[in-house]
Every structure is written in C-alpha cells, then in structure tokens.
Amino acid sequence: MTKKLLILTGGGDCPGLNAVIRGIAKRAKKEKDWEVYGSIEAFNGVLNEPQEIIRLNSKRTAGIHVKGGTILKTTNKGNPIKFPIIQADGSTRFVDRSDELINKLKALNFNAIINIGGDGSQKISKALYKKGVPIIGVPKTIDNDLSATDLTFGFQTAVQIATDSFDKLVTTAESHHRVMIMEVMGRDAGWIALHTAIAGGAEICLIPEIPYDINKLVKRIDSRYKHGRGFANIVIAEGAKPQEGSITATKGDKGSEHVRLGGVAYQLSKQLKDAGCKAEIRETVLGHVQRGGTPIAFDRVLATLFGVKAFELALEKNFGRMVALKNNTITSVTLEEATKEYNFLKKDSFLVKAAKGLGISFGD
Ligand code: F6P
C-alpha cells in the first residue's frame, strides 16, 4: 500500500532547506511505495482552507539543492499550538489549533511528517509527537544555537558570506585609518561572529556570551593608532551587550513570538565616541544577506545527509526524533533532548581561548 510523507519548513529561511527537501524526496523514490508531499508555509498549508499541499515529484525537486530559500515557503507566525489571530483592533490573540491540525493530517492519511526548522519548530514537533503525530525533526538555523547537533546547515554559508564581507571592509579600515564595525546575525549566540572574526582576522569580537567593557575597547583601539594613523576591525554579534546598560531590541512583527535584533553596530559606535574614542568609525549591518543565496558545498552535503537520515527514520517508524550531526556521524536524538538547551559559546571553550591567544579582544 502507498505510504504518504509530508515535509514542511518553518521559521526563518536558511541556505540548505531545499537540499534537505531534495534529499528526502530522492531517498524516498528508492522505496517505490512512498509519495512525498510538501505543506506550503509550514503547517499553514494544512490549516488553510483551501489547503496548500503540493506533490514533491522529481520534476519539482530536481536541482533545487543549489537554490537558497525554500520551495515550500516558510513563516514564523504559524505555530499551530499558539496560532496568532490578528483582531479587528490590531491586537493579537493566540489560539491552540493543534487538534484541528491533527484531525486534518489524519484525514489526509499521512504516515510520517518531517518538520525542518530551528528551536521553535522542534518544540512544535515535540508537542505534536506527544499528541500522537508521527513526526521527525530536521534542525536548521544559521545561528548554530541548537545543542543536540554539532552543526546546523546554513551556519557555514552564513560564516562564508560574513567573512567575504569582512574582507571587503578591511581594505577601507586600512586605507582610511578607520574603525570598521560589522554586525552579524546569531541572536543570543556568538558563533557566526567569532568564526568570522577568526577567519577574517578581526582585532575585536563582541558576542552575547561575553558582555564588553566599553573603556577596555577604547584602550584597545587607541593602542592601534599612532599620530592619528592606524585601524581596527570589529565584528559584533547582533545580541552582544555592554557590561553596563543594554541594547535595544524591537518588538517582533505582529504574530511573531520573537523580538527583533539588529542595529547594535550603531549603538556601539556611539558608545565608543561617548567613551572618548577619537578614531573615525563606520558601521555595516549585514542582515539577511547572511541567509541568502546558494548554500556552500558543506551545507549542501550536511543538509542532504540530514534529509536522507530523516526519511530513513520515517521508514523505520522511528518517530519523535530529530536528526543530528555528532562526532562526525549523522545520527538522531529524541525531540526532548533536541529542545532541552541552547548551544551558546562557552567562555572556557578552546574556541574562545584560541581567539584570545590570537590577540582578539572580547572587551572583557
Ligand atoms: O534565527 C535566524 C535569524 O536570521 C537570526 O540570526 C536573526 O536574528 C533572525 O533570524 C531574523 O529574523 P527575521 O528574518 O524574522 O527578521
């Protein structure tokens, strides 16, 4: 009897999502008796009337591994357990639509669901699994902040994009005797920032895990200038904060559970000037270019292997698990384990110590 598999992508887009979809579809094709479908915009494709569910045949998935974004579209406003409803007065009300979703999935006769997404999406997977949904998670995020997997796909592509951009800023720093501040993404984790700082050769790297002392930064910058000449390159993570004071984060869009970060580079620039930094400063906020475009080869491979593994878990009826990379092996963990804690940079890790050994200042 034919079995039916549903794939969906949730949360922010990330280079490698299409490679996972293709990996699942190609591996499923080998089994002959599986049909693969995709839900448009995470679970909204199932919840919406009319439903938006497409058949993922070879024609739809051929060659998509080189494309950024997701052919299934995505949203961070589609949590079926806390579904946002915008009211007439503009306020947002959240309702639990999980039973409605489960009934619709049953009516569609899906034998397995593969949910590709970050922490928020995998928390949804866990809750649905507890309610009996045969679900498997695939971790994605450029932030690399999931502790159950050594790496998430998309991260290396983001680091490559940030490093390429950093290299382009260094030339202006050197030529104009400037301090160049480049802000990268990562939410509350400094992985993208620190990898970029090491790859690019930054003098200063500011991350959320190590709050900085602005006076120490001014001293470090001053030490690089003689008679007004010198330069410094700073990488700052969007969630980095000073030891005293805080950074501003704006409220997320209507229906989103996240606050929006971004703009800390401008705040740092002002703090440096207020603390007496004489150098000329310029700021660059990289933003979504870090998530855009084609995934680098490493992420295509990781994403494809995650896709194959996710399908094989479905084949074994090994539900309630998330695929993961551990010690260079593609494996899986329970959804419980997958969502237990975030993966933040540790101050006593070799990575941080090595960066300090290279002379990179964290401002601590
Ligand atoms: O989680 C990935 C990420 O790109 C973060 O690094 C960033 O803070 C956030 O998403 C941006 O989200 P949005 O696309 O909703 O602005």
Side-chain angles (χ1 to χ4, degrees), residues 12 76 141-143 185-187 192 238 260-261 288 291:
N76 51 18
T141 169
I142 62 162
D143 304 337
M185 283 183 163
R187 296 204 75 84
I192 300 176
E238 61 182 1
R260 276 182 73 181
L261 297 171
H288 291 78
R291 287 193 345 210

Side-chain angles (χ1 to χ4, degrees), residues 114-134:
I114 296 180
N115 188 9
I116 314 169
D119 178 68
S121 300
Q122 300 318 332
K123 283 187 177 136
I124 296 169
S125 302
K126 183 174 76 176
L128 293 176
Y129 176 67
K130 281 190 178 156
K131 287 188 156 207
V133 176

